[in-house]
Amino acid sequence: MKRRQFIGAGAAIAAVGMVGSREAFAQNKRLVVTNWGGDWNDRTVKFIEAPLLESKGWTIVRDLNTAPQRRTKLVAEKNLPRGSIDVAHLSISDAVFVNNNGAVDTIDFKKIPNASDLVKEITTPFFLPWLYSTWEIVYNPTQIKTAPTSLAELWNPAYAGRVGVTNQHYQDYIQMASLLASGKLHDFEAAKKKLLELKKINKPKVYESHQQIAAGFKAGEIWIACNYRARALQFQADGIPVNVAFPKEGAALQTFGVCVPKKAQNKEGAYVYMNALLDPTGLANLCQANYYSPANNKVVLPGEVGKKITLTAEQRKKLFPPDFDWLSKNDAAQLEWWNKEFV
Amino acid sequence: MLEGKTRLRAGALVFPALLLVAVFLLAPIGLILRFSLDVYDPSTLMKGVFSAENYVKLLKDPFYTGVLLFTAQVAALSTAVCLLLGYPVAYFISRSPSEKLRSILIILTVLPLLMGNAVRSAAWMVVMGSNGMINGLLLALGVINEPIKILYTPTAVVIGLVSVLMPFAIITLQSVLDSIPVSLEEAGRSLGYSPLRTLWAVVMPLSIPGIVAAGAICFCLAMNAYATPVLIGGPSVHMMGPLVFQQIAKVGNWPFGSALAWVLMMVTLVMTVISATYLNRKYF
């Protein structure tokens, strides 16, 4: 082989190699993210994925499903050689469930620069917290002139037929009743008695989800319920006549974030994604739109919205992070009781 | 010999379809049966054992037997309404003198099937809601002072199911009525029967196979309905389809969900076979 031919062949091999590595690079910038649909996903795209990832050449493939479907898919894929999901958006209770089933990785928080100042109370080794909110009293101020201060207000006979509950939040309502009855979050027996009392006294209207209870408030069917502060503020922003009140008994925390499935194909990409989720600017913009509190302490929430979202020091003392191991073990029993006795 | 070869060829032609059914229908059903004999464990989802625990729980617990009975009642009522309301429509289409009119009526009947169940249920929610059309009308007419509860009741579920199932009933009945010669009705009329008596004494008995088929289709679909009970029935109306989904997808209790699915399938099958056999024996 002549020298010129040798150099040519070498260049050709290098070129092929470059194309190959470019393709491999392009593949590394493709991420499959499973998330809720609707406005939750729309806002994730608008404030995080589009400006912080897709604008930098990342391709996000979205697998939008309900929480039970995503949870089931993660558990079902744990025994496959290759999983289909790189990042899974979950509530912390679902994250505990998939972790108990060995379906997700432990997260190396050192690989996420924006995770250096997370809210500690809601951080676990297998779950990157992103947004959180508190379970509070939501009421119609035109019907209930004095702001409620206690969860007991839902049991007030003056509101017979005007109390709403959401079926999808059976765990939250059981926790709320437990908190009122015993001061503890997971006294299931005390909660059962209390909820049956509520059923007897006020005959609550049962709605399936957030959207339906919002419609119930709007139509004047109900005057008082419980929901996340974030959702109540969203209802308010949508013109629905509601206010939110922090109960003196305290409030359970609900946290949303992400997990990395054990069989994810692009784990490095998953870390880039998680870092983007906690970006202080992106997260501040998102929280001003959806009224959730950011899990990154570096996020600054300005103005009136910031005041509405941010918990006071006094309220922070009364937060109850649920025991998710307990919830995971008792979920079936709770749902069964809720269906059979309460709804 | 030739007959045997022809039979073999015919068998070979059926084989791919049989294989598909075996792989994609019977195998999953078998798998569900196996799951139903496992035991639920909150941390590992399933413990691989052979236990009748789930079936015992289902059959002993009045809540689950109550849901099964209620589902059968709703399905039977929806089927009966579909047959009662669908039969005259199917007869009218079948005896329509103009071919063009027949085609238009058949298209109009099938048209709702082009929309998904969920979309149709959502439309019913708009009609039956507290601020819906029915309540709006009744309030405007002064019949009621405040909205009445129509949505999220068993009645609403029956209305929703009837609207979903009616096209199946009409099309099935119409195809059987088409096969009954008009001359038989003319013979009945010439013997002095009124049109109604002719319909009752001549057409109805001959159309029993169509009634059985339409009833079986409607009943099976109603027993296994999901979207309509969830959207129109709401959380307080419990039916088997949503219960299976809830156990499998919400709680992760696959063994009990599988047992519910198996019992639902068996009850549907047995009730359909019994009613079809009874009607066929009575009239043939």
Side-chain angles (χ1 to χ4, degrees):
Chain A
M1 189 184 275
K2 288 178 182 173
R3 192 173 59 94
R4 198 168 277 184
Q5 280 174 324
F6 176 76
I7 291 169
I13 290 165
V16 169
M18 275 176 72
V19 170
S21 64
R22 267 176 125 185
E23 267 177 12
F25 184 67
Q27 275 170 359
N28 281 343
K29 292 197 107 178
R30 181 180 179 276
L31 268 175
V32 181
V33 177
T34 186
N35 201 349
W36 282 269
D39 55 3
W40 184 270
N41 179 65
D42 294 344
R43 289 180 184 132
T44 309
V45 175
K46 185 178 174 185
F47 296 106
I48 306 288
E49 292 174 354
L52 302 172
L53 294 160
E54 287 175 323
S55 67
K56 292 173 184 165
W58 284 85
T59 303
I60 310 281
V61 179
R62 295 178 185 92
D63 175 11
L64 306 180
N65 264 320
T66 61
Q69 283 166 322
R70 276 175 288 133
R71 199 172 78 163
T72 309
K73 198 170 182 178
L74 286 172
V75 175
E77 284 190 352
K78 74 174 179 180
N79 294 322
L80 297 178
R82 287 150 54 95
S84 65
I85 298 159
D86 295 314
V87 182
H89 281 261
L90 296 167
S91 68
I92 190 163
S93 51
D94 285 333
V96 170
F97 178 86
V98 291
N99 181 59
N100 286 348
N101 282 284
V104 292
D105 262 353
T106 299
I107 294 171
D108 182 357
F109 287 94
K110 285 178 197 151
K111 286 167 74 176
I112 309 168
N114 285 331
S116 59
D117 198 6
L118 289 176
V119 176
K120 282 193 183 67
E121 294 90 333
I122 53 173
T123 306
T124 54
F126 52 87
F127 176 75
L128 180 88
W130 183 39
L131 300 164
Y132 67 96
S133 196
T134 37
W135 190 250
E136 301 185 25
I137 304 163
V138 185
Y139 66 99
N140 181 338
T142 52
Q143 300 294 345
I144 300 174
K145 305 284 181 198
T146 313
T149 55
S150 167
L151 294 168
E153 206 60 17
L154 273 88
W155 277 256
N156 185 341
Y159 308 139
R162 301 293 182 181
V163 177
V165 299
T166 31
N167 194 43
Q168 71 176 117
H169 297 118
Y170 59 94
Q171 281 187 344
D172 301 281
Y173 276 99
I174 291 170
Q175 285 175 176
M176 174 271 278
S178 170
L179 203 56
L180 179 65
S182 68
K184 288 181 271 181
L185 210 54
H186 300 308
D187 189 342
F188 190 23
E189 290 309 313
K192 283 197 248 183
K193 274 186 203 153
K194 203 74 197 160
L195 282 172
L196 289 178
E197 212 178 281
L198 176 69
K199 188 178 173 181
K200 197 176 164 190
I201 299 171
N202 277 347
K203 294 183 179 59
K205 288 190 169 74
V206 186
Y207 297 88
E208 185 51 42
S209 63
H210 290 301
Q211 286 77 10
Q212 285 161 332
I213 205 164
F217 269 115
K218 195 172 183 180
E221 288 170 11
I222 50 164
W223 298 344
I224 188 165
C226 277
N227 212 315
Y228 303 124
R229 177 187 288 205
R231 281 289 172 179
L233 294 174
Q234 281 175 33
F235 296 166
Q236 229 175 37
D238 292 340
I240 297 167
V242 290
N243 272 353
V244 62
F246 192 94
K248 68 178 182 192
E249 293 83 6
L253 272 172
Q254 177 60 292
T255 311
F256 302 94
V258 296
C259 286
V260 181
K262 272 224 160 75
K263 298 293 168 65
Q265 294 298 294
N266 190 357
K267 289 191 181 178
E268 289 309 310
Y271 277 90
V272 176
Y273 184 89
M274 289 192 285
N275 196 47
L277 282 183
L278 296 174
D279 177 82
T281 313
L283 198 45
N285 292 336
L286 173 68
C287 291
Q288 287 174 80
N290 71 5
Y291 303 100
Y292 277 90
S293 300
N296 185 357
N297 283 324
K298 284 187 181 134
V299 174
V300 180
L301 294 171
E304 197 57 36
V305 176
K307 267 188 208 163
K308 282 183 178 177
I309 299 172
T310 310
L311 294 166
T312 64
E314 196 59 34
Q315 288 168 348
R316 277 187 177 280
K317 284 180 198 161
K318 290 183 176 174
L319 295 182
F320 288 81
D323 176 348
F324 291 106
D325 277 324
W326 186 91
L327 280 179
S328 191
K329 281 177 191 142
N330 291 281
D331 188 28
Q334 288 190 89
L335 182 61
E336 192 165 18
W337 177 82
W338 179 265
N339 279 337
K340 284 159 75 170
E341 306 288 338
F342 186 74
V343 177
Chain B
M1 191 65 188
L2 194 70
E3 261 187 15
K5 270 188 177 173
T6 313
R7 208 175 289 160
L8 204 68
R9 271 191 215 131
L13 286 173
V14 173
F15 182 73
L18 274 177
L19 191 72
L20 273 178
V21 169
V23 173
F24 294 109
L25 185 70
L26 297 180
I29 287 175
L31 199 64
I32 292 283
L33 176 63
R34 176 66 195 91
F35 285 164
S36 72
L37 300 171
D38 284 336
V39 171
Y40 173 67
D41 178 76
S43 52
T44 57
L45 286 182
M46 272 195 281
K47 277 184 184 163
V49 292
F50 280 95
S51 163
E53 188 185 303
N54 297 307
Y55 291 98
V56 172
K57 178 183 173 184
L58 199 162
L59 298 172
K60 265 191 168 175
D61 192 323
F63 173 74
Y64 294 108
T65 47
V67 172
L68 188 62
L69 185 69
F70 175 73
T71 307
Q73 285 172 338
V74 167
L77 184 60
S78 308
T79 304
V81 174
C82 281
L83 293 175
L84 276 173
L85 298 181
Y87 198 93
V89 179
Y91 183 77
F92 180 76
I93 296 173
S94 173
R95 296 297 184 257
S96 175
S98 149
E99 201 57 43
K100 198 177 169 186
L101 181 65
R102 257 170 70 91
S103 302
I104 292 170
L105 290 173
I106 289 172
I107 290 169
L108 285 176
T109 307
V110 178
L111 205 61
L113 296 178
L114 302 179
M115 280 181 278
N117 267 1
V119 176
R120 271 177 287 170
S121 297
W124 277 115
M125 288 168 80
V126 173
V127 173
M128 297 192 278
S130 296
N131 292 328
M133 284 164 62
I134 297 175
N135 269 315
L137 193 69
L138 293 175
L139 284 167
L141 293 172
V143 180
I144 51 174
N145 292 326
E146 62 172 58
I148 51 168
K149 191 179 179 184
I150 311 169
L151 200 62
Y152 306 140
T153 60
T155 311
V157 176
V158 173
I159 293 170
L161 281 174
V162 167
S163 78
V164 169
L165 303 174
M166 188 70 90
F168 294 102
I170 293 173
I171 295 301
T172 313
L173 288 167
Q174 177 254 325
S175 65
V176 173
L177 287 168
D178 275 355
S179 67
I180 300 169
V182 181
S183 57
L184 293 177
E185 289 176 64
E186 288 165 353
R189 296 292 304 277
S190 71
L191 291 169
Y193 276 11
S194 67
L196 208 64
R197 182 98 195 265
T198 310
L199 187 71
W200 181 252
V202 179
V203 182
M204 192 76 91
L206 290 170
S207 62
I208 288 294
I211 295 173
V212 169
I217 292 171
C218 291
F219 185 74
C220 290
L221 291 172
M223 278 293 281
N224 295 284
Y226 176 77
T228 309
V230 166
L231 294 171
I232 299 182
S236 313
V237 177
H238 296 291
M239 282 180 67
M240 287 296 281
L243 212 58
V244 172
F245 175 79
Q246 198 176 57
Q247 286 299 322
I248 290 188
K250 223 169 181 176
V251 186
N253 190 344
W254 291 21
F256 190 57
S258 301
L260 284 170
W262 249 88
V263 168
L264 174 62
M265 193 168 62
M266 284 299 123
V267 169
T268 309
L269 192 71
V270 168
M271 287 182 77
T272 309
V273 169
I274 289 174
S275 57
T277 313
Y278 172 75
L279 281 171
N280 278 327
R281 277 204 187 144
K282 194 172 177 186
Y283 290 94
F284 291 98

Short mmCIF file of all heavy atoms in Angstrom, two decimals, chain A residues 90-121:
data_model
loop_
_atom_site.label_atom_id
_atom_site.label_comp_id
_atom_site.label_asym_id
_atom_site.label_seq_id
_atom_site.Cartn_x
_atom_site.Cartn_y
_atom_site.Cartn_z
N LEU A 90 -43.09 10.87 39.09
CA LEU A 90 -43.94 10.14 40.04
C LEU A 90 -44.23 11.00 41.27
O LEU A 90 -43.47 11.93 41.56
CB LEU A 90 -43.23 8.87 40.53
CG LEU A 90 -42.91 7.77 39.51
CD1 LEU A 90 -41.95 6.77 40.10
CD2 LEU A 90 -44.17 7.06 39.05
N SER A 91 -45.28 10.64 41.99
CA SER A 91 -45.45 11.22 43.33
C SER A 91 -44.54 10.40 44.24
O SER A 91 -44.15 9.27 43.88
CB SER A 91 -46.90 11.09 43.78
OG SER A 91 -47.20 9.73 43.98
N ILE A 92 -44.24 10.92 45.41
CA ILE A 92 -43.31 10.18 46.27
C ILE A 92 -43.91 8.84 46.72
O ILE A 92 -43.19 7.85 46.86
CB ILE A 92 -42.83 11.03 47.47
CG1 ILE A 92 -41.68 10.29 48.17
CG2 ILE A 92 -43.94 11.38 48.42
CD1 ILE A 92 -40.85 11.12 49.08
N SER A 93 -45.24 8.79 46.89
CA SER A 93 -45.84 7.51 47.31
C SER A 93 -45.66 6.46 46.21
O SER A 93 -45.38 5.29 46.50
CB SER A 93 -47.30 7.69 47.68
OG SER A 93 -47.99 8.36 46.68
N ASP A 94 -45.82 6.86 44.95
CA ASP A 94 -45.59 5.90 43.86
C ASP A 94 -44.11 5.54 43.76
O ASP A 94 -43.76 4.41 43.40
CB ASP A 94 -46.08 6.48 42.53
CG ASP A 94 -47.60 6.44 42.44
OD1 ASP A 94 -48.19 5.57 43.10
OD2 ASP A 94 -48.17 7.29 41.74
N ALA A 95 -43.25 6.53 44.06
CA ALA A 95 -41.80 6.26 44.01
C ALA A 95 -41.42 5.21 45.05
O ALA A 95 -40.61 4.32 44.78
CB ALA A 95 -41.02 7.56 44.25
N VAL A 96 -42.04 5.31 46.25
CA VAL A 96 -41.76 4.31 47.28
C VAL A 96 -42.23 2.93 46.81
O VAL A 96 -41.54 1.93 46.96
CB VAL A 96 -42.45 4.70 48.61
CG1 VAL A 96 -42.38 3.56 49.62
CG2 VAL A 96 -41.79 5.94 49.19
N PHE A 97 -43.37 2.91 46.17
CA PHE A 97 -43.92 1.64 45.67
C PHE A 97 -42.97 1.01 44.66
O PHE A 97 -42.62 -0.16 44.78
CB PHE A 97 -45.29 1.90 45.03
CG PHE A 97 -45.92 0.67 44.45
CD1 PHE A 97 -46.68 -0.18 45.25
CD2 PHE A 97 -45.76 0.34 43.11
CE1 PHE A 97 -47.27 -1.32 44.72
CE2 PHE A 97 -46.33 -0.80 42.58
CZ PHE A 97 -47.09 -1.64 43.38
N VAL A 98 -42.51 1.79 43.67
CA VAL A 98 -41.64 1.19 42.64
C VAL A 98 -40.27 0.84 43.23
O VAL A 98 -39.66 -0.15 42.83
CB VAL A 98 -41.49 2.08 41.37
CG1 VAL A 98 -42.78 2.13 40.61
CG2 VAL A 98 -40.99 3.46 41.68
N ASN A 99 -39.83 1.63 44.21
CA ASN A 99 -38.55 1.32 44.85
C ASN A 99 -38.66 0.02 45.67
O ASN A 99 -37.75 -0.82 45.63
CB ASN A 99 -38.12 2.48 45.75
CG ASN A 99 -36.78 2.20 46.40
OD1 ASN A 99 -35.79 1.99 45.71
ND2 ASN A 99 -36.75 2.17 47.72
N ASN A 100 -39.79 -0.13 46.39
CA ASN A 100 -39.98 -1.37 47.15
C ASN A 100 -40.00 -2.59 46.25
O ASN A 100 -39.71 -3.70 46.67
CB ASN A 100 -41.29 -1.31 47.96
CG ASN A 100 -41.15 -0.40 49.16
OD1 ASN A 100 -40.04 0.00 49.52
ND2 ASN A 100 -42.26 -0.05 49.77
N ASN A 101 -40.38 -2.36 44.99
CA ASN A 101 -40.41 -3.47 44.04
C ASN A 101 -39.12 -3.58 43.23
O ASN A 101 -39.06 -4.30 42.23
CB ASN A 101 -41.61 -3.31 43.10
CG ASN A 101 -42.89 -3.73 43.78
OD1 ASN A 101 -43.15 -4.93 43.93
ND2 ASN A 101 -43.66 -2.79 44.25
N GLY A 102 -38.12 -2.83 43.64
CA GLY A 102 -36.80 -2.94 43.01
C GLY A 102 -36.75 -2.46 41.57
O GLY A 102 -35.94 -2.94 40.78
N ALA A 103 -37.61 -1.50 41.22
CA ALA A 103 -37.68 -1.09 39.82
C ALA A 103 -36.88 0.18 39.51
O ALA A 103 -36.74 0.54 38.34
CB ALA A 103 -39.14 -0.86 39.43
N VAL A 104 -36.35 0.86 40.55
CA VAL A 104 -35.63 2.12 40.28
C VAL A 104 -34.25 2.15 40.93
O VAL A 104 -33.99 1.45 41.91
CB VAL A 104 -36.46 3.36 40.72
CG1 VAL A 104 -37.68 3.53 39.84
CG2 VAL A 104 -36.87 3.27 42.18
N ASP A 105 -33.39 3.01 40.36
CA ASP A 105 -32.01 3.15 40.82
C ASP A 105 -31.90 4.05 42.05
O ASP A 105 -32.76 4.91 42.28
CB ASP A 105 -31.19 3.85 39.72
CG ASP A 105 -30.43 2.84 38.89
OD1 ASP A 105 -30.43 1.66 39.26
OD2 ASP A 105 -29.83 3.27 37.89
N THR A 106 -30.80 3.91 42.77
CA THR A 106 -30.45 4.91 43.78
C THR A 106 -29.83 6.08 43.01
O THR A 106 -29.04 5.86 42.08
CB THR A 106 -29.42 4.32 44.76
OG1 THR A 106 -30.05 3.21 45.40
CG2 THR A 106 -28.99 5.33 45.80
N ILE A 107 -30.19 7.29 43.39
CA ILE A 107 -29.71 8.46 42.64
C ILE A 107 -28.39 8.96 43.24
O ILE A 107 -28.25 9.07 44.46
CB ILE A 107 -30.77 9.59 42.65
CG1 ILE A 107 -32.02 9.11 41.88
CG2 ILE A 107 -30.24 10.88 42.05
CD1 ILE A 107 -33.21 10.03 41.99
N ASP A 108 -27.44 9.26 42.36
CA ASP A 108 -26.17 9.83 42.79
C ASP A 108 -26.32 11.36 42.72
O ASP A 108 -26.13 11.97 41.67
CB ASP A 108 -25.05 9.35 41.86
CG ASP A 108 -23.69 9.88 42.30
OD1 ASP A 108 -23.65 10.65 43.28
OD2 ASP A 108 -22.69 9.53 41.65
N PHE A 109 -26.72 11.95 43.86
CA PHE A 109 -27.04 13.38 43.87
C PHE A 109 -25.82 14.27 43.54
O PHE A 109 -25.99 15.41 43.13
CB PHE A 109 -27.64 13.78 45.22
CG PHE A 109 -29.04 13.27 45.40
CD1 PHE A 109 -29.30 12.07 46.05
CD2 PHE A 109 -30.13 13.98 44.90
CE1 PHE A 109 -30.59 11.59 46.19
CE2 PHE A 109 -31.43 13.52 45.04
CZ PHE A 109 -31.65 12.30 45.68
N LYS A 110 -24.61 13.69 43.71
CA LYS A 110 -23.42 14.48 43.40
C LYS A 110 -23.33 14.77 41.90
O LYS A 110 -22.65 15.71 41.48
CB LYS A 110 -22.17 13.70 43.84
CG LYS A 110 -21.97 13.71 45.32
CD LYS A 110 -20.75 12.89 45.67
CE LYS A 110 -20.76 12.54 47.15
NZ LYS A 110 -20.09 11.29 47.43
N LYS A 111 -23.97 13.96 41.10
CA LYS A 111 -23.93 14.18 39.65
C LYS A 111 -24.96 15.21 39.19
O LYS A 111 -25.13 15.45 38.00
CB LYS A 111 -24.18 12.84 38.93
CG LYS A 111 -22.97 11.90 39.00
CD LYS A 111 -23.32 10.50 38.58
CE LYS A 111 -23.51 10.36 37.09
NZ LYS A 111 -23.76 8.94 36.72
N ILE A 112 -25.69 15.80 40.14
CA ILE A 112 -26.71 16.80 39.78
C ILE A 112 -26.34 18.12 40.46
O ILE A 112 -26.67 18.34 41.64
CB ILE A 112 -28.12 16.35 40.25
CG1 ILE A 112 -28.41 14.92 39.77
CG2 ILE A 112 -29.20 17.30 39.76
CD1 ILE A 112 -29.62 14.28 40.40
N PRO A 113 -25.64 19.04 39.77
CA PRO A 113 -25.19 20.28 40.41
C PRO A 113 -26.33 21.07 41.06
O PRO A 113 -26.15 21.63 42.15
CB PRO A 113 -24.56 21.07 39.25
CG PRO A 113 -24.22 20.02 38.23
CD PRO A 113 -25.19 18.92 38.38
N ASN A 114 -27.51 21.11 40.42
CA ASN A 114 -28.62 21.90 40.97
C ASN A 114 -29.26 21.25 42.20
O ASN A 114 -30.17 21.83 42.80
CB ASN A 114 -29.69 22.11 39.90
CG ASN A 114 -29.27 23.16 38.87
OD1 ASN A 114 -28.51 24.07 39.20
ND2 ASN A 114 -29.72 23.01 37.64
N ALA A 115 -28.81 20.04 42.55
CA ALA A 115 -29.41 19.35 43.71
C ALA A 115 -28.65 19.62 45.00
O ALA A 115 -28.87 18.94 46.00
CB ALA A 115 -29.48 17.86 43.44
N SER A 116 -27.78 20.63 44.98
CA SER A 116 -26.95 20.86 46.17
C SER A 116 -27.74 21.45 47.33
O SER A 116 -27.30 21.41 48.48
CB SER A 116 -25.79 21.80 45.80
OG SER A 116 -26.33 23.02 45.32
N ASP A 117 -28.92 22.01 47.08
CA ASP A 117 -29.68 22.64 48.16
C ASP A 117 -31.16 22.22 48.11
O ASP A 117 -32.06 23.05 48.03
CB ASP A 117 -29.54 24.16 48.04
CG ASP A 117 -29.91 24.86 49.34
OD1 ASP A 117 -30.14 24.15 50.34
OD2 ASP A 117 -29.98 26.10 49.35
N LEU A 118 -31.38 20.92 48.18
CA LEU A 118 -32.76 20.41 48.13
C LEU A 118 -33.43 20.52 49.50
O LEU A 118 -32.75 20.58 50.52
CB LEU A 118 -32.75 18.93 47.72
CG LEU A 118 -32.39 18.59 46.28
CD1 LEU A 118 -32.33 17.08 46.09
CD2 LEU A 118 -33.38 19.21 45.31
N VAL A 119 -34.76 20.53 49.50
CA VAL A 119 -35.50 20.50 50.77
C VAL A 119 -35.27 19.11 51.36
O VAL A 119 -35.70 18.10 50.79
CB VAL A 119 -37.00 20.77 50.53
CG1 VAL A 119 -37.78 20.64 51.84
CG2 VAL A 119 -37.21 22.13 49.90
N LYS A 120 -34.59 19.06 52.49
CA LYS A 120 -34.12 17.77 53.04
C LYS A 120 -35.26 16.83 53.43
O LYS A 120 -35.19 15.62 53.23
CB LYS A 120 -33.24 18.03 54.27
CG LYS A 120 -31.83 18.46 53.89
CD LYS A 120 -30.91 18.40 55.10
CE LYS A 120 -29.53 18.91 54.74
NZ LYS A 120 -29.51 20.35 54.41
N GLU A 121 -36.34 17.42 54.00
CA GLU A 121 -37.43 16.58 54.52
C GLU A 121 -38.06 15.69 53.45
O GLU A 121 -38.69 14.68 53.75
CB GLU A 121 -38.55 17.45 55.13
CG GLU A 121 -38.12 18.21 56.37
CD GLU A 121 -37.56 19.59 56.05
OE1 GLU A 121 -37.03 19.78 54.94
OE2 GLU A 121 -37.64 20.48 56.92
#
